[in-house]
Amino acid sequence: MTIKVYDINEDVHEEQLVSEDITNIHKIFNKIFSSNNTDHQKVECFTNDNSLLKLYHESEDFDLETFANELLKAEKKKDNTRNQQITQGFLFVKKKSDLLMLLKLESIEMIDKEQHYKMRASFSTESNYYKGCIFSGDLKNVTVIDKNTSVAGFWRDRFLGLELKFNEFQDSMKLISLIQEDKLFSEKIKNQTNFPEVRKQTEDFLFGNETFDKTQLADKLRRNNLIELTDLTAIYSEESKSMDSHFQVSSKAIAKKYKKTIQVSKDTKIY
């Protein structure tokens, strides 16, 4: 197993690690990338022709520092100055056999570098400070994670060179089918006596927003006292995992499925 850490600011600096550093960093990877961690968005992607992961996959002697250098490039503007809208941070790289994990931490304060990268008591996956990637050797199946409500374009596109598996029309069509067939939510939610109202408010959420977000929908249902569960895996069905957790709602898909007039903008409607 290989673990590297790079400080990315105006340039790239590789941190020198000792065995205790590596042990604690391994724990950070385990915590954030755990299958039980539902605090972040998880999006399935595939590599494009210019993908950095494709280059990594096809190279026999790939220098892992290339990831850090390319991330720095992705975080810069066209004039080669740093984009101040993108938070600087540390890139953690973990390579074990065919498995590659990339993790950008935007808030290093959560980790005590003086104590060999030990997680502080305040460390929580509920905070908005990390992005990640899991690559197991299949160029058609790459998982990208982001703590924000949508995966940052600079991370997925400019840095990694990845394409989303689904477009907004396909995602919207899938979502509408799940709603109409009562397959979006878990059995526990569907067995509630107020499920008809849950479904109605879900459709209202779909019609009233430009984007669909599982976390935001769950928050709305809780605010309206329709559900009490907080774990997204307990709220939504297994079938719902086949679509992205956050995407632009396709007005064309809604018009096609519901035969409904959609207000796209102040001056434009789709029938």
Side-chain angles (χ1 to χ4, degrees):
M1 179 179 68
T2 301
I3 287 182
K4 300 279 189 179
V5 178
Y6 302 95
D7 181 0
I8 303 177
N9 194 336
E10 296 301 325
D11 53 15
V12 171
H13 170 72
E14 181 178 354
E15 300 288 302
Q16 300 304 309
L17 306 177
V18 297
S19 59
E20 191 172 351
D21 296 333
I22 292 173
T23 298
N24 287 329
I25 292 169
H26 183 62
K27 292 177 182 177
I28 295 171
F29 273 101
N30 286 346
K31 185 174 181 66
I32 291 181
F33 286 87
S34 168
S35 59
N36 296 322
N37 181 6
T38 59
D39 289 329
H40 52 233
Q41 301 294 328
K42 185 180 293 186
V43 178
E44 299 304 320
C45 304
F46 61 92
T47 59
N48 61 32
D49 290 339
N50 298 315
S51 173
L52 183 58
L53 291 179
K54 188 171 186 289
L55 176 63
Y56 162 80
H57 183 65
E58 295 174 350
S59 300
E60 293 184 3
D61 189 22
F62 185 89
D63 185 354
L64 294 178
E65 189 168 333
T66 304
F67 285 117
N69 291 326
E70 291 301 314
L71 179 56
L72 177 59
K73 289 181 184 178
E75 293 181 346
K76 288 185 175 181
K77 297 185 293 185
K78 291 182 179 180
D79 62 3
N80 208 37
T81 60
R82 188 170 186 88
N83 187 337
Q84 298 303 315
Q85 300 300 312
I86 300 176
T87 308
Q88 63 192 46
F90 284 73
L91 178 67
F92 293 74
V93 181
K94 177 180 177 181
K95 183 179 182 297
K96 184 178 181 181
S97 188
D98 291 333
L99 180 65
L100 173 73
M101 291 183 175
L102 303 175
L103 172 66
K104 180 188 175 185
L105 288 184
E106 299 172 345
S107 178
I108 200 65
E109 289 81 11
M110 295 291 182
I111 296 171
D112 191 343
K113 284 183 62 179
E114 301 303 316
Q115 293 296 320
H116 301 284
Y117 294 87
K118 187 175 182 180
M119 287 181 281
R120 297 184 190 272
S122 57
F123 189 100
S124 169
T125 56
E126 294 180 1
S127 301
N128 296 324
Y129 61 82
Y130 65 83
K131 294 170 174 57
C133 174
I134 304 172
F135 177 61
S136 56
D138 185 349
L139 297 175
K140 296 181 179 179
N141 291 286
V142 183
T143 300
V144 174
I145 64 174
D146 196 332
K147 188 57 190 73
N148 294 312
T149 54
S150 61
V151 175
F154 85 88
W155 178 259
R156 176 186 61 81
D157 185 13
R158 297 200 299 277
F159 171 43
L160 295 172
L162 299 175
E163 304 289 341
L164 296 173
K165 280 193 172 183
F166 295 94
N167 59 36
E168 63 184 51
F169 181 79
Q170 293 170 318
D171 271 325
S172 298
M173 290 290 284
K174 177 67 175 179
L175 170 63
I176 295 167
S177 294
L178 290 174
I179 293 172
Q180 292 180 336
E181 296 169 13
D182 291 338
K183 293 181 179 179
L184 177 63
F185 294 99
S186 66
E187 289 298 320
K188 188 166 185 177
I189 298 294
K190 288 195 294 182
N191 288 334
Q192 293 181 177
T193 57
N194 64 358
F195 180 68
E197 183 63 20
V198 170
R199 174 173 167 165
K200 178 181 181 302
Q201 291 208 17
T202 299
E203 290 182 326
D204 290 344
F205 182 85
L206 175 64
F207 300 148
N209 291 277
E210 294 181 353
T211 59
F212 175 80
D213 184 282
K214 283 184 175 181
T215 301
Q216 291 176 4
L217 173 58
D219 288 344
K220 174 187 175 179
L221 295 175
R222 273 194 301 274
R223 284 196 306 271
N224 294 335
N225 299 315
L226 292 174
I227 64 172
E228 295 180 353
L229 298 172
T230 58
D231 186 350
L232 295 184
T233 58
I235 295 171
Y236 296 103
S237 67
E238 283 292 318
E239 289 182 73
S240 74
K241 292 181 179 179
S242 62
M243 66 179 188
D244 294 325
S245 297
H246 175 100
F247 54 86
Q248 289 289 122
V249 172
S250 167
S251 299
K252 291 183 179 180
I254 294 178
K256 180 180 178 68
K257 282 285 198 174
Y258 284 98
K259 305 295 188 290
K260 188 177 179 69
T261 302
I262 306 299
Q263 191 79 38
V264 177
S265 66
K266 182 184 295 185
D267 304 314
T268 306
K269 290 182 179 179
I270 292 180
Y271 296 89

